[in-house]
Amino acid sequence: MAPKKLSPIPPRDQTGTVVKNYRLGEVLGRGSNGVVYKSLNMDTGDVVAIKQLPLHKIPKSELASIMGEINLLNHLDHRNIVKYLANHKTKDFLNIVLEYVENGSLADTVRKFGSLPESLIAVYIEQVLEGLCYLHSEGVIHRDIKGANILTTKEGLVKLADFGVATRLEDGKVKDYDDVAGTPYWMAPEVIEMAPPSTAADVWSVGATIVELLTGAPPYFELAAMPALFRIVQDPHPPIPEDTSPPLRDFLLLCFRKDPATRQP
C-alpha cells in the first residue's frame, strides 16, 4: 500500500492573502493557537480583525469548543464587548472576523506608557465592570480577564476580548466542568483548587488586572507560575501596592476576598 500523502502545512505568515472578501494585513498578535491580522474588506473598505486558526493544529475534539466560542460571541451585543462579525472556513484555516479595536490592549498601553494613574484606571475598570455585568447577566463567565484581553479604542472605549475559554452557566452552574482555564497570575484561588468556576472568579481577575495597570505586572509576577499559584491560594490576599489610595485599597480587598460568595467589586 502506498504511503498516505500528507497535506502541505500552509506558510506561517498569511499577510497579503485574501479570505472571502478580506485581505489580510499586518499581524496584530500571535497566540498558541493562531494569529490575529488587521484586515481590509475589499468591497466596503471596512477594517476588521481576523483571528486565523490553522485547522491542522486543531484536534477535532477542540473544534466543537471553538465553534461554541463563535456561537457565544454571535449572541453577545454590548458596547464593552468586542463584536463578532462572521467566520469563514477554508481548506487550511478557520477565520473569525471581529471588530477591529485600534488602540490594542491595556497590556500594550502599559508597555508603551508605563504604569497608569488611579484616575485613568478607574475610567477603564468602570467599563470593564459594565462589560462583565452584561456577560454575567447573560450567564457567561469570561475566565481570562487580564490586560492583554481588554482592548481600547482611540477614544478610550473599553472592549472585552478573547472568549476562547469563556463558559456559559446553565441554571446558575457550569455544566460538565472538567478543566482549569485562565492565566496563572490572574487566577482566583478557587479556580486553582479546581472548584467549578463562577462569576466571582472574573471579579478576582479584575483585582489582579488593576494591580497590573498600577505596577506593570499582576500580583506575584516575580515568582514562577507554580509558586505564584501556591501563594494565591495560601495568602490572605495578594499584596496591595504601596501608595494605593484608601478607596482603591478597599476596592481591591473586596475583589480579593477568598470566599467567592462574598466577593464583589
Side-chain angles (χ1 to χ4, degrees):
M1 180 183 292
K4 185 178 180 180
K5 188 175 180 180
L6 298 176
S7 300
I9 295 175
R12 178 176 170 83
D13 191 345
Q14 294 293 303
T15 299
T17 61
V18 175
V19 176
K20 196 80 171 177
N21 52 332
Y22 295 98
R23 178 168 291 162
L24 306 187
E26 68 178 281
V27 173
L28 298 174
R30 295 183 187 273
S32 57
N33 61 351
V35 182
V36 180
Y37 294 90
K38 184 177 180 179
S39 306
L40 179 68
N41 186 315
M42 303 300 287
D43 295 333
T44 66
D46 290 344
V47 175
V48 300
I50 291 185
K51 183 177 182 180
Q52 190 174 74
L53 308 175
L55 291 172
H56 74 274
K57 285 187 176 181
I58 305 174
K60 287 185 178 179
S61 59
E62 290 184 19
L63 193 56
S65 174
I66 292 170
M67 297 310 293
E69 176 192 355
I70 290 171
N71 182 58
L72 181 125
L73 276 171
N74 193 32
H75 288 85
L76 299 177
D77 184 17
H78 190 273
R79 68 195 295 267
N80 297 121
I81 307 291
V82 71
K83 189 168 182 58
Y84 165 85
L85 300 173
N87 76 87
H88 303 293
K89 193 173 177 182
T90 64
K91 180 171 70 73
D92 296 314
F93 296 101
L94 176 61
N95 300 276
I96 304 173
V97 185
L98 302 165
E99 172 187 11
Y100 172 61
V101 186
E102 63 272 22
N103 263 21
S105 73
L106 289 185
D108 292 331
T109 299
V110 170
R111 276 194 291 270
K112 292 173 184 174
F113 299 102
S115 57
L116 305 179
E118 288 188 16
S119 56
L120 179 56
I121 292 172
V123 171
Y124 290 144
I125 295 301
E126 180 180 9
Q127 297 179 72
V128 169
L129 293 175
E130 287 177 5
L132 281 178
C133 282
Y134 168 76
L135 284 181
H136 295 168
S137 72
E138 293 291 310
V140 175
I141 310 170
H142 187 283
R143 299 175 79 193
D144 200 16
I145 294 293
K146 58 182 179 179
N149 290 340
I150 302 169
L151 309 181
T152 62
T153 69
K154 63 181 184 294
E155 293 86 11
L157 180 65
V158 162
K159 306 270 187 178
L160 301 183
D162 199 341
F163 287 77
V165 295
T167 192
R168 188 178 287 279
L169 296 168
E170 294 184 16
D171 298 322
K173 296 181 180 180
V174 176
K175 187 179 178 183
D176 300 327
Y177 171 72
D178 62 357
D179 66 338
V180 174
T183 308
Y185 301 94
W186 290 263
M187 276 185 185
E190 69 272 13
V191 173
I192 297 166
E193 295 183 307
M194 299 193 68
S198 69
T199 55
D202 284 343
V203 175
W204 179 286
S205 299
V206 168
T209 301
I210 292 172
V211 174
E212 175 190 6
L213 301 181
L214 275 174
T215 68
Y220 306 115
F221 203 63
E222 72 280 3
L223 303 176
M226 288 304 294
L229 294 175
F230 178 82
R231 291 283 299 277
I232 290 169
V233 171
Q234 294 298 319
D235 289 356
H237 59 75
I240 306 298
E242 292 183 12
D243 302 324
T244 301
S245 69
L248 182 55
R249 178 182 174 82
D250 290 344
F251 183 90
L252 287 171
L253 291 175
L254 289 174
C255 292
F256 290 144
R257 286 186 174 180
K258 280 298 185 66
D259 181 359
T262 65
R263 189 183 304 146
Q264 57 183 359

